[in-house]
Amino acid sequence: MLIKKPDDIKSSEITDKQLYLSRREFLSASTLSLGALATGMAAPGLLLGSNEAQASTAAKLNDLRKSKFSTDEKLTPYKDVTTYNNFYEFGTDKYSPAQLAHTLNPRPWTISIEGEVKHKKTYDIDALLKLAPLEERIYRLRCVEGWSMVIPWAGFPLSELIKQVEPNGNAKFVEFISLQDPKQMPGQRSSVLDWPYVEGLRIDEAMHPLTLLALGLYGEVLPNQNGAPVRLVAPWKYGFKNAKSIVKIRFSSTPTASSWMKANSNEYGYFANVNPTVDHPRWSQAKERRIGEFLKRDTLMFNGYAEQVASMYQGMDLRKFY
Ligand SMILES: Nc1nc2c(c(=O)[nH]1)N[C@H]1C(S)=C(S)[C@@H](COP(=O)(O)O)O[C@H]1N2
Ligand SMILES: [Mo]
């Protein structure tokens, strides 16, 4: 076997290794011995759980660059990342997106850039994939409901796209608009939220190097339930800021109320920075449950990204601007 230095290892291979390790776990729990695997006797297709099989058939994203912004915390298993989701366009419970999102068609797909920019244009998803080198970014995701995950995203900084379209002097805020199509998204037949799903960032937040336009996870294109083909990931904010299946990015001079603010303005602010000292009106935000762990852990200010992002909020009362 070829021994490579860690720096030579592409993240697609690392993903394979992670799958390999989880297969090992599966094997050691079964009647087969590890020796069978080592000698190549085991036929992987037969041994994989259905979710792992799914992982191995999705389109791989090659040559992902590593990012200095990645956490080295233990990854949340692929199965949890792709079966425990919030995606109200496919129902309000955590398990329905994985079951229902097959009706979403991520190809062909376009994303249009509108509002206060010099170059209003529409990108085809395949052109977007080539807009900048893809990186693997391992980020914590903290849902406002009190759980968290560690997810290896693939994408590039949103700033790369913003630089291309050149916002004008009026562009102070950026709006992210998800697909609206009840034929593809059965949850939109219910009015739990005001469709389409809309979220927003201040322009400096959108330009921040941590803010990612994600096109994949675990070294593969995004599964539908995680927001295929393109979504936002701003890791210091609660999960709901990270709009999925985006079709439109609009630059504006004023902030727009997000779907969650319209649904309940007392509970969801515009900034939605992870903050253990500001409770949700109905529950504490001091602790969180990392999916797969039993004991709760302390929630970190800005989800652990304070060093990188706190300066953007200097002088702001974060109890008021939550
Ligand atoms: N369009 C859309 N985007 C969305 C949501 C949604 O319901 N619709 N849910 C949000 C919430 S509450 C969370 S926690 C994250 C979950 O992302 P994940 O399922 O990939 O972990 O997506 C966010 N993005
Ligand atoms: Mo969430």
Side-chain angles (χ1 to χ4, degrees):
M1 194 187 138
L2 198 70
I3 310 287
K4 291 182 179 178
K5 289 185 270 124
D7 282 349
D8 297 333
I9 301 173
K10 285 189 222 152
S11 76
S12 55
E13 292 180 61
I14 292 170
T15 303
D16 289 340
K17 191 166 153 228
Q18 281 155 350
L19 285 173
Y20 168 74
L21 291 174
S22 58
R23 278 168 209 162
R24 265 178 63 133
E25 263 169 46
F26 177 80
L27 276 169
S28 60
S30 77
T31 52
L32 282 160
S33 71
L34 280 172
L37 184 76
T39 55
M41 279 163 61
L46 297 171
L47 296 167
L48 294 176
S50 61
N51 286 297
E52 288 172 21
Q54 212 177 308
S56 57
T57 55
K60 291 259 189 298
L61 296 168
N62 292 316
D63 302 320
L64 295 180
R65 298 181 175 191
K66 285 181 192 300
S67 167
K68 63 177 178 188
F69 294 121
S70 287
T71 164
D72 56 10
E73 287 172 283
K74 187 174 176 286
L75 300 184
T76 301
Y78 180 87
K79 190 177 161 135
D80 293 323
V81 172
T82 56
T83 57
Y84 191 84
N85 300 102
N86 267 335
F87 201 170
Y88 277 30
E89 287 88 333
F90 298 98
T92 54
D93 86 86
K94 302 279 172 290
Y95 301 97
S96 56
Q99 286 160 9
L100 302 177
H102 56 88
T103 55
L104 174 67
N105 185 5
R107 290 276 184 307
W109 191 277
T110 58
I111 176 163
S112 63
I113 313 297
E114 303 181 358
E116 304 286 352
V117 282
K118 200 164 160 192
H119 311 290
K120 294 188 177 71
K121 57 177 168 184
T122 299
Y123 290 90
D124 183 79
I125 188 65
D126 292 307
L128 193 74
L129 267 158
K130 289 180 209 129
L131 187 138
L134 294 182
E135 295 175 22
E136 177 164 85
R137 298 260 186 122
I138 304 170
Y139 281 165
R140 289 178 285 274
L141 179 143
R142 167 60 156 85
C143 176
V144 76
E145 296 166 340
W147 49 267
S148 63
M149 297 195 190
V150 178
I151 303 176
W153 301 108
F156 55 77
L158 176 65
S159 63
E160 297 283 348
L161 174 95
I162 296 179
K163 278 185 240 157
Q164 278 206 355
V165 297
E166 294 187 56
N168 65 35
N170 298 326
K172 300 282 191 290
F173 298 89
V174 193
E175 211 176 292
F176 304 87
I177 300 147
S178 299
L179 178 69
Q180 177 160 31
D181 182 357
K183 284 199 209 80
Q184 292 186 61
M185 297 176 145
Q188 289 181 332
R189 289 172 208 150
S190 133
S191 51
V192 268
L193 286 176
D194 188 28
W195 310 114
Y197 194 95
V198 174
E199 261 306 338
L201 296 176
R202 211 169 56 186
I203 189 86
D204 58 328
E205 298 176 322
M207 286 296 291
H208 192 279
L210 276 177
T211 304
L212 195 70
L213 207 53
L215 297 137
L217 59 78
Y218 265 105
E220 300 170 351
V221 296
L222 277 178
N224 286 356
Q225 60 269 36
N226 293 91
V230 57
R231 69 172 301 168
L232 185 75
V233 184
W236 69 97
K237 293 178 177 282
Y238 289 117
F240 68 85
K241 296 299 285 183
N242 303 325
K244 295 177 168 182
S245 305
I246 296 170
V247 292
K248 211 180 284 180
I249 298 181
R250 206 171 68 88
F251 293 78
S252 60
S253 55
T254 52
T256 324
S258 67
S259 297
W260 286 106
M261 288 165 79
K262 284 186 240 170
N264 197 334
S265 61
N266 292 331
E267 301 193 351
Y268 304 104
Y270 184 82
F271 288 94
N273 293 318
V274 173
N275 188 337
T277 71
V278 177
D279 289 342
H280 184 280
R282 289 183 281 142
W283 58 81
S284 163
Q285 293 291 24
K287 287 187 176 287
E288 69 198 55
R289 194 171 73 84
R290 181 68 50 87
I291 297 299
E293 290 180 358
F294 181 68
L295 294 174
K296 287 192 172 177
R297 29 169 99 213
D298 291 340
T299 286
L300 304 173
M301 189 64 201
F302 295 113
N303 201 24
Y305 301 95
E307 203 184 303
Q308 292 96 329
V309 302
S311 64
M312 288 193 290
Y313 309 102
Q314 236 154 37
M316 276 174 68
D317 179 356
L318 295 178
R319 304 199 136 265
K320 195 165 161 226
F321 298 101
Y322 57 88

